[in-house]
Each structure stands twice: as C-alpha cells, then as structure tokens.
Amino acid sequence: LPGSATMDIKVMACFFLVFFVRRCKSDCPDYVTEYDQDGVDYEPITNIGSWEECGLMCASDKECRIWQWAPPNANHSYRGSCFKLYNNKIGEHYNEDWISGDEHCYSHC
C-alpha cells in the first residue's frame, strides 16, 4: 500500500529526530565541570581514549546518570580515566581538567 509506506517513513523520521534531538544538546559535553562524589569513592576506568567512549560506557549502563572523563592533558593523576556516576543529585564545580555529560551525551552532532 503506497500510503502505508509513506506513513512508515514519517514514523521513522520522527523517531530519528526525537532520538537525535535528545542526545544533541548544546551543553554536550561540558568541558569545564567536575562532579562531587559525596564522599563515595568510585573506581576509575582507566585508559579511555575519548569523552565519547566514556559517554558510551555510561549510556550502556542502565544505572549510570552522569560521567566524567579526564583528558590526557589534565593536571592530575586521573588522565585518560572515566568515572560513571549513579546519582544525578551530585554537586558540581568548575574544573578545566574534566569533561562531563549525562547518560545521553556520547557524541557530537
């Protein structure tokens, strides 16, 4: 049926746009935010090559809400490490040595 194929294409296009807009936010990623961990020691995942890889790791973990990654030029010992955080009510502060995002942030648009 010709009308049915057109409807399928429209539905697929709407789904794509909703998904695309959902993960493509102007503040994704945040290049200057570090999240406080409320005294909880999360183990770093080391040797992560990019913030996109860190973001994908968070997106694939149903419980992950926020991630933060230390780029190779960071001025601390966590360079190349990713932290997956499971509480979205965490304090945050300005820090140029971290790149961060929520579970939907894992790619530039």
Side-chain angles (χ1 to χ4, degrees), residues 37-49:
Q37 299 174 23
D38 288 339
V40 177
D41 256 347
Y42 293 100
E43 289 294 315
I45 303 163
T46 58
N47 299 315
I48 303 303

Side-chain angles (χ1 to χ4, degrees), residues 2 8 15-17 22 27-28 30-31 36 39 42 55 59 66 74-76 87 89 91 99-100 102 104 108:
D8 288 345
F15 176 77
F16 175 76
L17 287 173
R22 183 176 181 189
D27 60 346
C28 169
D30 184 337
Y31 287 96
D36 295 328
Y42 293 100
I66 298 170
N75 290 316
H76 52 73
N87 180 353
K89 296 184 179 183
I99 299 173
S100 58
D102 66 21
H104 304 294
H108 276 299

Side-chain angles (χ1 to χ4, degrees), residues 63-81:
E63 296 182 24
C64 182
R65 297 294 172 255
I66 298 170
W67 57 265
Q68 60 188 24
W69 177 72
N73 63 342
N75 290 316
H76 52 73
S77 61
Y78 290 115
R79 288 182 288 280
S81 294

Side-chain angles (χ1 to χ4, degrees), residues 49-101:
S50 68
W51 69 262
E52 293 94 340
E53 185 179 352
C54 185
L56 276 172
M57 292 173 70
C58 181
S60 66
D61 182 338
K62 288 188 277 186
E63 296 182 24
C64 182
R65 297 294 172 255
I66 298 170
W67 57 265
Q68 60 188 24
W69 177 72
N73 63 342
N75 290 316
H76 52 73
S77 61
Y78 290 115
R79 288 182 288 280
S81 294
C82 176
F83 288 84
K84 296 187 299 180
L85 308 176
Y86 298 96
N87 180 353
N88 58 1
K89 296 184 179 183
I90 298 172
E92 61 183 74
H93 60 275
Y94 181 88
N95 188 331
E96 294 179 352
D97 286 328
W98 291 97
I99 299 173
S100 58

